[in-house]
Amino acid sequence: MTSMSRARVARRIAAGAAYGGGGIGLAGAAAVGLVLAEVQLARRRVGNGRSPHVPSADGRYGRPYAVAGEAPLRLTMLGDSTAAGQGVHRAGQTPGALLASGLAALAERPVELRTVATPGARSDDLDRQVALVLADPGSVPDICVIMVGANDVTHRMPPTRSVRHLSSAVRRLRTAGAEVVVGTCPDLGTIEPVRQPLRWLARRASRQLAAAQTIGVVEQGGRTVSLGDLLGPEFAANPRELFGPDSYHPSAEGYATAAMAVLPTVCASLGLWPAEEERPDASRREGFLPVARAAAEAASEAGTEVAAAMPSGPRGPWALLKRRRRRRVPEQEPAPAAPSS
């Protein structure tokens, strides 16, 4: 599917999410049904992608940076098993721990990590997760990272409904004062047991949802980072290294790769990224685009960020597309045994 075609589909899904109705049509629904059948078979063959234990990484990172009277930054992870870190054995290997450690090092300030992400969650669970996050008005996070979408595709949630729940979650968090970064739907075409020709159908469904998610998130004032293509060629080329033992969830190295893609956007949203890198670089094909076009391009390229820019244009809202350079996540300190009081 071309970038322009994906942009049209994404606009239709996002419009359906905002105003009700819409969808991807009967052909799209049939394709998703085939993807579901194949992925469910694949999940059974790899143990359904489940792990008996998801390590808890909640607590404070960057303690050496503590300054008397200065509160730590608050980072909260929402979404599904990818945000929770299912598939690894140590807390320090989870994306939350990696992001908290990296953010603390770059901000030179402690970071308090909280995880409400739940393995198996779909976008409709974000309503519950956001309620937990905002239960105490005095401890609203500085930054929320959401990773969600894969279970929506495999469980045939209508994409309009998926985007509606995600947009609502971003709106509530932004209204409360939190910055929001969303890692969009990963590429299900990379799940190792999924065979051709359904692999490309899984990829198409994943990228369509990722592009529509981007439109919904940016319109609510959040930023997105494409995980789909990041988890595509790299995971396909190195399945034994970048997938965990169940061949369904990322390994520690896979989560580190994803964290490297998300960390720059997390820092930029808090005003912590170098100012010279905030200007679009034409040589890297960065710049201002209609939001649907930016969303479609981001869905096809690893680590691409999309953020709100000009409020309107001839073809609707505009967005800034950034292809941020990947930098190694600073080595994480051991995760605390228990949350700080």
Side-chain angles (χ1 to χ4, degrees):
M1 176 180 288
T2 66
S3 176
M4 292 302 294
S5 297
R6 188 175 295 116
R8 286 194 295 271
V9 172
R11 277 197 301 267
R12 194 161 70 243
I13 293 172
Y19 303 111
I24 59 175
L26 294 177
V32 171
L34 289 173
V35 171
L36 170 69
E38 182 71 10
V39 170
Q40 295 288 21
L41 284 173
R43 291 180 71 175
R44 282 197 291 271
R45 286 160 55 192
V46 297
N48 204 30
R50 298 190 180 187
S51 171
H53 173 68
V54 178
S56 174
D58 288 8
R60 188 164 297 186
Y61 294 76
R63 290 181 184 275
Y65 300 112
V67 174
E70 183 179 63
L73 290 170
R74 297 190 181 100
L75 165 65
T76 299
M77 302 293 295
L78 302 90
D80 56 23
S81 57
T82 306
Q86 186 171 6
V88 296
H89 300 293
R90 295 196 297 274
Q93 299 172 327
T94 63
L98 293 165
L99 287 171
S101 295
L103 178 58
L106 290 166
E108 296 186 347
R109 184 174 169 186
V111 173
E112 193 76 30
L113 172 66
R114 182 186 182 192
T115 303
V116 298
T118 304
R122 288 168 274 181
S123 293
D124 55 2
D125 191 53
L126 291 175
D127 299 344
R128 179 190 66 84
Q129 294 182 26
V130 170
L132 290 174
V133 172
L134 301 181
D136 180 3
S139 60
V140 173
D142 296 284
I143 178 75
C144 292
V145 175
I146 304 174
M147 297 179 180
V148 75
N151 295 316
D152 297 21
V153 175
T154 61
H155 290 80
R156 302 180 74 178
M157 177 180 288
T160 50
R161 182 182 172 200
S162 176
V163 173
R164 186 179 301 121
H165 283 290
L166 177 58
S167 299
S168 173
V170 174
R171 180 172 61 252
R172 291 169 63 191
L173 292 169
R174 293 289 293 129
T175 299
E179 297 292 336
V180 181
V181 174
V182 175
T184 55
C185 182
D187 187 350
L188 295 181
T190 63
I191 298 175
E192 198 173 14
V194 177
R195 301 182 302 271
Q196 295 287 16
L198 296 183
R199 185 182 293 268
W200 76 269
L201 289 174
R203 176 160 292 146
R204 185 178 72 170
S206 302
R207 290 184 177 182
Q208 284 180 355
L209 179 57
Q213 286 177 319
T214 293
I215 295 175
V217 169
V218 169
E219 288 181 344
Q220 299 302 327
R223 303 187 188 210
T224 64
V225 178
S226 170
L227 296 184
D229 200 49
L230 174 73
L231 306 184
E234 294 186 14
F235 274 44
N238 304 286
R240 299 304 178 191
E241 178 183 358
L242 291 174
F243 273 126
D246 62 7
S247 296
Y248 189 79
H249 293 101
S251 66
E253 182 66 24
Y255 280 127
T257 302
M260 278 194 292
V262 175
L263 180 60
T265 299
V266 167
C267 292
S269 69
L270 295 171
L272 299 172
W273 206 242
E276 62 271 17
E277 293 195 17
E278 291 305 284
R279 294 188 291 270
D281 184 346
S283 69
R284 294 167 57 82
R285 295 180 293 116
E286 298 179 343
F288 298 96
L289 295 169
V291 65
R293 174 78 180 277
E297 290 202 15
S300 301
E301 184 167 341
T304 304
E305 174 191 319
V306 180
M310 295 170 280
S312 63
R315 286 175 285 178
W318 284 63
L320 174 60
L321 184 143
K322 292 282 295 179
R323 294 178 169 90
R324 294 191 181 277
R325 296 174 179 86
R326 293 187 205 162
R327 297 185 175 183
R328 183 171 299 279
V329 176
E331 184 177 351
Q332 68 271 18
E333 59 190 68
S340 304
S341 59

